[in-house]
Amino acid sequence: MWFNEEAKEIEKKLSTNIINGLSKEEAEKRLLENGPNKLKGKKKKSMFMLLFEQINDPMIYILLVAAIISAILGEVSDALIILLVIIINAVIGVVQESKAEKALEALKNLSTPKAVVKRDGEIFEIDSSDLVIGDIVVIDAGRYIPADIRLVEAANLKIEESAFTGESVPVEKHANIINEGDSLHVAEQANMAFMSTLSTYGRGIGIVIATGMDTQIGKIAKMLDTEEDNTTPLQKKLAKLGKTLGFLAVGISILMFIVSMFQGRDFLTMFMTSISLAVAAIPEGLPAIVAIVLALGVQRMAKQNAIIRKLPSVETLGSVNIICSDKTGTLTINKMTVKKYFVNNKIKSLEEIDKENPESKLLIEGMVLCSDATSKEGVQTGDPTEIALVDVGNKVGIFKDDLLEEHKRVNEIPFDSDRKLMTTVNKYGNKFNVFTKGAIDNILKISNKILINREIKELSQEEKDKILKASDSLSDEALRVIALGYKIIDSENVTIDSLEKDLIFIGFMGMIDPPREEVKASIEISKKAGIRTVMITGDHKNTAIAIAKELGIANDISQAMSGAEIDTYNDEDFTKIVNNYRVFARVSPEHKVKIVKAFKAHGNIVSMTGDGVNDAPSLQAADIGVAMGITGTDVAKGAADMILTDDNFTTIVNAVEEGRNIFTNIKKSILFLLSCNLGEIVALFVAILFNLDTPLLPIHLLWVNLITDSFPALSLGVDPGDKGVMNKAPRNPNESLFAGRSGLMVVINGLLIGATTLFAFLYSEHLYPESLRHAQTMAFVVLSVSQLFFSLSMRNETRSIIQVGLLKNTWLIGAIVFGIALQYSIITIPFTAKLFKVYSLTIKDWLIVILISLIPLIINEILKIFYRISEEKTTSS
Ligand code: ATP
């Protein structure tokens, strides 16, 4: 058993080395031998199953029955065509769906947790799947434990093991407690950490003892079957719409069949026509098209550094009207440089720092020792705030490695954004120095003395006020202030609780973290797009407002509120005033939740960023939780809807724009397909009602509906982004798809397509009175070609096809050319012409067909002129 053996034994057993880790070659060898450290997912569906799912649809059943009846009645070509259309449609469906699935799978891989591992004496971050037995793994707060691990070092390490125990309170871990006995429950193994549990506090190091399916979690395989519901609100609405349309279609078909029987039409033809009308009325291709457009959209977003973790968020993104953003690293570049420092009651420029001065020396030593970051010969690891401090040491020749060798760290309390403090205990001769660094107010709260000119004095209120005034003046210059206190203790064996109190104040350092260059423009763009940017930061109010002013987020300190001020309001009162503020400073993670809730209570759609372990609740409370990809913990990433791989605010704004574009594009596809379906119904229904000949044969409808329509619909789904989307207010998420002009447009366009098809049919009957087949051919071609042309108009509701750039959507142009070529081939190749019961058209016929087919497009473009005029009037009045 791993938990009841000494770490040294395990090190030997697994032929590894706790200090240096495995060699890279050995790790590679073990990876080949034992396979990747992955839990096996669910079995992939077979090709046959995928095809079956496509065919397992009531509409397809109706078609199959139609095919069988046609075959029995001797209409073999009809039967064949129907079968062919079903097969082509199913294959397109499978291809699209598997493409969408692959895209989402790739995204999932992008956001899987990494592991920090020691190999050949160096520390790396690697994919967790590359871990092997014997690897030495470093654990820090906020990380998922990447494999089953026997701990060899644990500094205040706490791990949340709810995956096994259901208990969400983290348990303390100790490397040196060796439990007796052989059969301890997972929860009782204090020196073990298990895959998929979560470290919430402290640090640790351990040896990997099991990977992949051999881990404890791997043994409970059923946990992997939990699948998230990844259907978006729009997809849910569409499914409902599909059902309604289904009922409607069946109703209309039955009605048409009854009417035609009264008219004494041929039973078989009308039976088939009714069935095809039902099929024509339902946009079968829609769900697949929506899925693929969504998948392509999130793939594009991933390339622009925004990884969508939950598909429904793509739609919500487009509706976001408040972006709450962290300051450090998101609005700023997160490269800190110390500019000023304060000791002995004086602010000085860093250039003047002198290590011969005892207070300055202690300030530097304390700051460097109380940091986990490293910075050596230009190579840096860790928190940028701490890197800046270590660099001050480097500048004056106080190097971290040397210091640590002399003053070994014997205890520590890690930094967290609630306390805003960090403490280490270091050996100084026979005694121990406690160093605590952190936010100035918090350091002053736990200090009662001050070191001034080699003397330790009482820290009076007057003195405190002076220090605060000095630190405020640095904050006003947008500098982040980190203060330091210390005390000397005799023994290292003290309780953790006794460390952060009764300190001696030494001084502070002020560091600059410049705003990211591109952020100002992005904030301007969001303003135009009706989106408010709110800064949320753990930093001081003055530092925050200085940066906020520079970026255009706020213009006055009255728009800033501190965490302490938030605490003075209850939830209800806070909700009343929250809209007056643009900056929340000195906040802790709980405040973030309160802020999100207050904004949401006003009906806003709120996005919130976060990186720490404690940020998970606010990320979950927000409509769009955004985690930092670089500085974020696994916990924050796990709770987020979106991950920024570059931690950049601008990426959020770009993602919102992309989200808006994806939604409008999907809407274009949907409205296009619905218009086309309505057109088919109109053409058929009017013909039957007025006792005309049947203008379209079932196979024509099926073909247009399932094949020629799909390509322009897909191309509309990938329409290049419209620059105008960021000049509009955010979309109301409850708004219907048919709100505004959209519903009316579907009706108008349906009528237009139906009317032009009928017109072509009647005109052809007039030209060639002896040939019904010729007229049906003309109707068939006009139906498909008019839809192809009209798709161009769908690219924008108000701007003309020239204004949006006629050739800009090359996919759409390709789809139109391809569609016309397909149509031409079908009626010209003798074999297909026979199958489709069509004639080859003359050049003159084609000319007529093309002219008639342009009518819906032209009328749409004329209508847009009126829309533009009325829009101009409303904006100018
Ligand atoms: P933002 O929320 O804008 O990203 P932040 O995440 O950096 O800011 P915190 O990390 O919560 O905010 O930091 C809040 C305060 O805690 C800082 O203003 C600083 O005074 C202090 N602080 C930050 N990092 C450390 C650290 N490593 N050690 C000690 N104190 C720190």
Side-chain angles (χ1 to χ4, degrees), residues 327 329-334 513-521 551 630 646-650:
K327 172 178 72 69
T330 314
L331 296 169
T332 65
I333 59 174
N334 210 12
D513 177 19
R516 287 178 183 264
E517 257 176 39
E518 62 281 23
V519 164
K520 201 169 174 181
L551 288 173
I630 304 171
D646 60 355
D647 291 11
N648 191 341
F649 176 82
T650 299

Side-chain angles (χ1 to χ4, degrees), residues 85-140:
V85 167
I86 294 176
I87 292 170
I88 296 181
N89 191 50
V91 170
I92 293 181
V94 168
V95 171
Q96 289 185 344
E97 245 166 52
S98 64
K99 208 170 166 191
E101 205 159 286
K102 265 202 200 115
L104 295 180
E105 194 67 27
L107 281 188
K108 228 189 224 162
N109 288 341
L110 278 182
S111 59
T112 46
K114 305 243 178 215
V116 180
V117 66
K118 238 194 234 180
R119 283 183 187 167
D120 278 335
E122 282 178 71
I123 291 183
F124 301 92
E125 196 166 60
I126 61 168
D127 282 339
S128 300
S129 60
D130 291 339
L131 274 184
V132 295
I133 291 179
D135 258 329
I136 305 298
V137 174
V138 181
I139 303 162
D140 49 11

Side-chain angles (χ1 to χ4, degrees), residues 697-709:
L697 294 178
I699 36 173
H700 300 162
L701 288 170
L702 286 174
W703 181 258
V704 171
N705 220 16
L706 291 175
I707 310 298
T708 37
D709 270 2

